[in-house]
Amino acid sequence: MSKCITCTDKKGPDASLLVHYITVESVTEVETASGDVDETWATLTTAYAQIEPLRGRELWMAQQMMSDITHMVTIRYQSGIDAGMRIVYGSRTFHIDGPPKNLDEKNEWLVMQCRELTELA
């Protein structure tokens, strides 16, 4: 069973759990040579993160708010990350659903509810 980075004791969150190197991307519009506008993904930032799959009761509780929440992603606080952006980890892609939570409003940790995007075969 993995330890949750946001479950704090008197020492605070455990930064050693940030083991996944992720890329946060935002959608941008690019004008093509023909004058059309295409949407593309551009890197906003990179960071070490904890990617925690939701399980059992957590998944059921999250589904009360958002039906597709599958993971919680935690990083050190960075401004500018918002809903609608995505996280790329290796070959996996996670869509950020809803505004990220600034844990305890201390600008130390950012917790994001995400859903993993999978391609249908």
Side-chain angles (χ1 to χ4, degrees):
M1 176 184 259
S2 68
K3 181 179 175 185
C4 172
I5 196 169
T6 59
C7 298
T8 61
D9 55 20
K10 293 179 183 176
K11 299 177 196 168
D14 184 358
S16 70
L17 297 173
L18 303 175
V19 297
H20 305 95
Y21 193 66
I22 64 166
T23 301
V24 179
E25 297 180 336
S26 62
V27 70
T28 59
E29 293 182 347
V30 177
E31 188 172 334
T32 64
S34 64
D36 294 333
V37 176
D38 285 340
E39 289 186 346
T40 187
W41 291 95
T43 298
L44 176 70
T45 189
T46 56
Y48 282 96
Q50 179 187 32
I51 301 174
E52 183 179 18
L54 297 178
R55 22 181 218 287
R57 180 181 159 102
E58 292 170 328
L59 182 57
W60 181 81
M61 288 172 51
Q63 287 180 341
Q64 298 294 12
M65 297 183 308
M66 297 176 176
S67 61
D68 294 332
I69 302 300
T70 61
H71 293 76
M72 298 296 282
V73 178
T74 303
I75 63 172
R76 291 191 183 274
Y77 179 82
Q78 293 189 35
S79 63
I81 299 174
D82 207 351
M85 294 182 179
R86 72 180 187 181
I87 294 170
V88 177
Y89 173 64
S91 62
R92 299 169 68 188
T93 303
F94 302 87
H95 180 78
I96 302 172
D97 283 339
K101 179 181 176 187
N102 180 357
L103 193 62
D104 296 328
E105 299 299 323
K106 291 183 178 180
N107 293 349
E108 293 177 357
W109 300 100
L110 199 61
V111 180
M112 297 162 279
Q113 295 180 341
C114 300
R115 63 185 157 88
E116 187 166 7
L117 303 176
T118 56
E119 293 185 26
L120 299 175

